[in-house]
Amino acid sequence: KISPSVMSDILSQIVTKRREDVREAKTKQTLDQLRASLQDRDKDKHVHPISVMRRVRQAGSLAIMGEIKRASPSKGQLAHASFDLPSQVHDYVHAGVAVISVLTEPTWFKGSLQDMAAARKVAEQQGLGPFFRPAILRKDFIIDRYQLYEARLHGADTVLLIVAAFQEGVDKTAQLSGDERALDLKHLADLIAESRELGMEPLVEVATDKEMTVALQQGAKFIGINNRNLHNLDVNTDTTRTILSGVDMQKHRSVIFCALSGIKTRQDAQRMEEAGVHAVLVGEALMEAPYAPWKVKELKGPGRALPTLVKICGIKDTMAAANAVHCGADMIGLVFAEGSHRKITEVQAKDIVRTIHAIRASSSPVSFPQQQQRHGEQVDPCRWFATWAEEIANQARQKKALVVGVFANQSPEYVNKVAESVGLDLIQLSGTEDVPSQATYVRPVLKAVHVADDTTLEALMETTSKFAGKAVGVLLDTKDPQALGGTGKAFDWKGASTLAARWPIGLAGGLGPDNISRAVLSVRPFLVDVSSGVETERSKDPAKVEMFISSAKFPFDLEHETTRTEAKRIRRESIEAKIAEDPLAGYFPARFGDFGGRFVPETLVEPLEQLERAYWEASHDPAFHAQVEQLYKHYVHRPTPLYYAKQLTEAVRARAQKGEGSSSRPGLDNDPAFYSGPDRGARIWLKREDLTHTGSHKINNAIAQALLAMRLGKKRIIAETGAGQHGVATATACAMLGLECIVYMGGDDTRRQ
């Protein structure tokens, strides 16, 4: 740890020491030898660097850059210095970070090139492929081209170049030797160019207005604004906003700006985002977080979580169960609690479970990984509940629906007997009972926690956290002296929303089709549970079930959306920058080699570019997607069914088995393993798009186009049609949305139709 008396000289000290380090490295392996090693390595195309610019843009409106750091000059050895690097990288990859920054400076930060190489290896082992794995950043004090080759050889996709290190006076006492160069702006420009030649777009770090001007003049495309003063290591998070306020964002719209240092909370990240950055680098806050994926979720804010799981509780018959599953329910709740009018017998439960097993093509309960079922008094609730939330979500998606048995204040012996007899996947305890340990029950346990009007956030956190290591999830429900659940009464979601930012929770109590979108958008629970809210006269109402599930999966609340900024956070400048850099590569691939392109009158260029920008923005807006999905499901009637064309299949297969017709792939007709014997010939299914509203697939396109037109503020739609179906669909969409519509049809087409 650096003492305050020498803190003002820290940058010069580090740069001087790095010169010595590079000199020593060159005695062990010359630059030419380094280049030769890199050329041998590059024969394998899989080791080539990926585009850090593309990875940051793929992340959406705010990319998270996670850091691997063991020490720092301001704090010395960090508490997490003995962390397990592979585990940390694994968590970063699965958290969806765009960049993994690895400190490789050995003296003050205790890093190494081996750390970076290990990080690259672990990232590649996660199976995401080169297009989606995080980019690897070598974070160091790069002052010599030798370090660029080191970086590439050890797996870097990008490197850090600090403008302050190339300012006059930083290495004024340096004695240069061999091919060493003075640290000036010409040397900085040459390192930027050589880094690009090696396939790495460098991250150019600035900390003042003057340094920003230098970076932009040098043509930097990827600029990080350090909120930490490298001369005295003080942190001021206003630095980013202050510096960016002086940048002509329109002129430099193709530049990606990042905020470095001092970002620890969602509020910090939000301030950086509002200042105009595209990404934030987070070090200690992520390294010290109990579970990095959940911390990343918190930093990125609401609106970016996985789709909420839906549990339809109180199912009493096979018809209701099948309907709920087909509508998209992730869990089916069977009530065994005494005193509930929804209680069913074991015989009824077995019939329902058999129906669900038939739908999911499985005859046994889900087998959850044993390693997840660890226990102990010191289990961290964030990591525990987040890990289990992901596991439950994965199983629900794979199996289509999980069966949950609901009990209240009943003995573990009885609960286990029913679970084994019926074939439950999960157990829900909705009473006031405790969960002694996870081993007490034969299935993973969800624990209901009852919330009263006067329950404080502190009490809620204390109550839920004590179930970590015992229950796999907690479900917040309304406290009612008359019942333990299914009351149809809601509680104040404010505390639940705050708690959900710390670890996953389930939400129940007073939910229904009318408020579920608002609940999901406000709280962001990983699971919602409904019973009375989808009933009519104490029976499950299929229409309410369908509406509830759709609204929970694709939440859209107009009043709520217009008051929140989440759907609007993709700044106009950011969108224009992404399109301006290369509008036909990655976002709008309209040209394929020598083919394609845009050939239109000049007067149409600007309207088309306006439409292009609006489409890009809408395609990244969850509110727009939700609105489209709602109309697809409840107006267009999607998804359409598949129909087995029995007679057509029989006719085709009869001809095939007689040897008539031939395959489109030479040689396959002579292959006895291909369509041989009674299996020869295709089975034909028809996708019944003709069953959508208006009788064709055209309505799918027309609905979304009309919504996009409204987003642009347009009042009239003009369409051209040949066979008439597109015109009908357009007119229908406009009539539903209140837009004026004019349809043109050619004279010959009119007579023919």
Side-chain angles (χ1 to χ4, degrees), residues 430-452:
S430 293
T432 57
E433 69 272 81
D434 192 10
V435 184
S437 73
Q438 195 176 37
T440 305
Y441 296 93
V442 295
R443 299 284 187 270
V445 173
L446 295 170
K447 183 66 181 79
V449 174
H450 299 96
V451 184

Side-chain angles (χ1 to χ4, degrees), residues 453-475:
D453 292 337
D454 58 352
T455 301
T456 65
L457 176 60
E458 291 73 18
L460 196 57
M461 290 183 64
E462 182 181 354
T463 302
T464 55
S465 63
K466 75 177 184 180
F467 291 113
K470 302 175 181 179
V472 299
V474 289
L475 184 69

Side-chain angles (χ1 to χ4, degrees), residues 22 25-26 29-42 49 113 116 138 142-159 161 179 190-191 193-200:
V22 172
K26 289 178 179 179
Q29 187 176 26
T30 66
L31 179 59
D32 288 340
Q33 291 172 330
L34 203 59
R35 283 175 173 157
S37 297
L38 184 58
Q39 288 174 354
D40 289 340
R41 187 173 183 268
D42 278 355
L113 287 167
M116 186 173 69
R138 180 183 185 183
I142 305 291
I143 55 173
D144 193 294
R145 62 193 305 208
Y146 185 90
Q147 294 169 287
L148 299 179
Y149 286 88
E150 279 185 327
R152 267 296 317 275
L153 188 62
H154 288 82
D157 300 296
T158 179
V159 296
L161 296 176
D179 61 351
D190 289 345
L191 288 178
E194 189 151 8
S195 178
R196 288 171 177 164
E197 289 176 6
L198 290 170
M200 302 182 295

Side-chain angles (χ1 to χ4, degrees), residues 330 360 366-369 390-402:
D330 302 290
R360 71 188 197 191
V366 170
S367 176
F368 287 96
E390 291 180 4
E391 179 61 35
I392 291 171
N394 288 336
Q395 293 291 353
R397 284 191 291 268
Q398 293 172 17
K399 300 296 185 180
K400 293 187 178 179
L402 305 179

Side-chain angles (χ1 to χ4, degrees), residues 705-716:
Q705 286 186 331
L707 288 173
L708 186 60
M710 294 179 67
R711 189 182 184 95
L712 282 163
K714 307 302 181 184
K715 305 296 183 184
R716 182 174 65 168

